[in-house]
Amino acid sequence: MQVRYSTWKGQTVAQLSDQASKQGRVFLTRDHKLAEQRGLSAVYLLACDDAKQQFQDIQKRFGIRVDKKKLLSRCSQCNSAAIRRVEQAEIEHVVDAKVFKHVNRFWQCQKCDKVFWVGPKLDAAVQNILGMMLDKQ
């Protein structure tokens, strides 16, 4: 199963639900009233507030397996897989000068232009994600 996500971006709940249904996706929510609305399809009510438990619940319910090679392979802003390595000169005007002084490898989403780099918080973030998603595998 391939995992993708969409964001609100001004869409109504009915539009998001319809989009999820047409694309074979599931609309995840913690809102009981929203989940009970008539006419909404492909809605899954998350049972708790804890992110780790939510990940594990979703993994179990939908049979999602984690591929470590694909971890962080999509844009966190628009979910595109079109991310490519870019030269420093291409993004110098976009990245804060402090970052640019200490980092020399950058990647950029070809859909929304978000720029990524390996920073000091990456290892902790990856370990957190792996901890949430791999506990039950």
Side-chain angles (χ1 to χ4, degrees):
M1 170 181 264
Q2 193 171 41
V3 178
R4 296 184 181 167
Y5 69 92
S6 293
T7 57
W8 288 94
K9 294 187 182 178
Q11 296 176 324
T12 67
V13 172
Q15 289 170 323
L16 285 171
S17 176
D18 186 51
Q19 175 184 350
S21 181
K22 287 178 181 174
Q23 296 176 351
R25 297 183 186 196
V26 176
F27 188 83
L28 302 173
T29 184
R30 284 266 309 118
D31 187 330
H32 288 267
K33 289 182 182 179
L34 178 67
E36 294 169 359
Q37 284 185 22
R38 292 178 193 235
L40 296 184
S41 57
V43 176
Y44 183 72
L45 181 64
L46 297 167
C48 66
D49 291 324
D50 181 72
K52 184 175 182 175
Q53 289 177 352
Q54 287 176 347
F55 270 119
Q56 291 172 349
D57 180 32
I58 292 165
Q59 256 186 302
K60 183 178 177 182
R61 171 64 178 89
F62 298 103
I64 296 170
R65 306 293 295 169
V66 176
D67 182 346
K68 290 181 186 180
K69 291 178 260 177
K70 292 184 178 180
L71 193 64
L72 302 176
S73 65
R74 300 187 77 88
C75 177
S76 60
Q77 184 164 309
C78 73
N79 199 36
S80 172
I83 296 175
R84 72 173 179 95
R85 178 92 186 267
V86 292
E87 298 298 323
Q88 287 179 301
E90 294 178 65
I91 48 85
E92 185 173 10
H93 63 286
V94 178
V95 177
D96 184 87
K98 289 179 185 177
V99 172
F100 202 72
K101 285 181 185 178
H102 300 286
V103 178
N104 59 11
R105 293 186 344 177
F106 296 90
W107 293 264
Q108 187 172 35
C109 175
Q110 300 304 289
K111 185 174 179 185
C112 73
D113 295 328
K114 182 173 178 70
V115 177
F116 300 91
W117 61 90
V118 175
K121 297 178 183 177
L122 180 67
D123 286 337
V126 168
Q127 291 308 312
N128 187 33
I129 292 168
L130 289 174
M132 285 192 286
M133 300 197 75
L134 295 176
D135 278 356
K136 300 292 182 182
Q137 288 192 19

